């Protein structure tokens, strides 16, 4: 089970960087392209003051982070796996 969903776009360098860094440590995550999914885009906008900021990361506990560092995502994954 993936504890992380990354809301991203194909062209976003921050999205690519986050995914590349998470891939180094083989942490599982799901990706949703906000340009292909209107509901996902609306959710991202709803948690970012009306702005479509990517990457926005949603965790399995319902919390989220906007443009987080990979190290913060890894810490959150570890926390969720312990729960």
């Amino acid at each position: 089970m993936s504890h992380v969903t990354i809301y991203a776009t194909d062209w976003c360098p921050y999205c690519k960087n986050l995914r590349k860094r998470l891939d180094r440590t083989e942490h599982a995550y799901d990706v949703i392209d906000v340009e292909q999914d209107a509901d996902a885009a609306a959710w991202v906008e709803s948690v970012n003051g009306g702005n479509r900021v990517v990457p926005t990361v949603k965790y399995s506990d319902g919390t989220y982070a906007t443009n987080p560092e990979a190290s913060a995502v890894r810490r959150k994954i570890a926390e969720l796996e312990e729960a």
Side-chain angles (χ1 to χ4, degrees), residues 1-5 28-29 58-61 76-77 80-81:
M1 174 183 151
S2 172
H3 288 289
V4 175
T5 301
Y29 57 85
K58 185 176 181 182
Y59 300 103
S60 60
D61 66 357
K76 184 67 175 185
I77 291 170
L80 293 168
E81 289 176 343

Side-chain angles (χ1 to χ4, degrees), residues 2-6 14-29 57-61 63-65 67-83:
S2 172
H3 288 289
V4 175
T5 301
I6 301 173
Y14 300 105
C15 301
K16 290 177 183 179
N17 187 45
L18 177 60
R19 293 176 66 187
K20 181 173 125 181
R21 290 174 184 253
L22 291 176
D23 288 347
R24 285 186 199 155
T25 54
E26 299 181 6
H27 283 94
Y29 57 85
V57 176
K58 185 176 181 182
Y59 300 103
S60 60
D61 66 357
T63 61
Y64 64 91
N67 198 17
E69 292 291 328
S71 58
V73 175
R74 285 192 291 271
R75 281 192 302 274
K76 184 67 175 185
I77 291 170
E79 174 187 315
L80 293 168
E81 289 176 343
E82 289 178 6

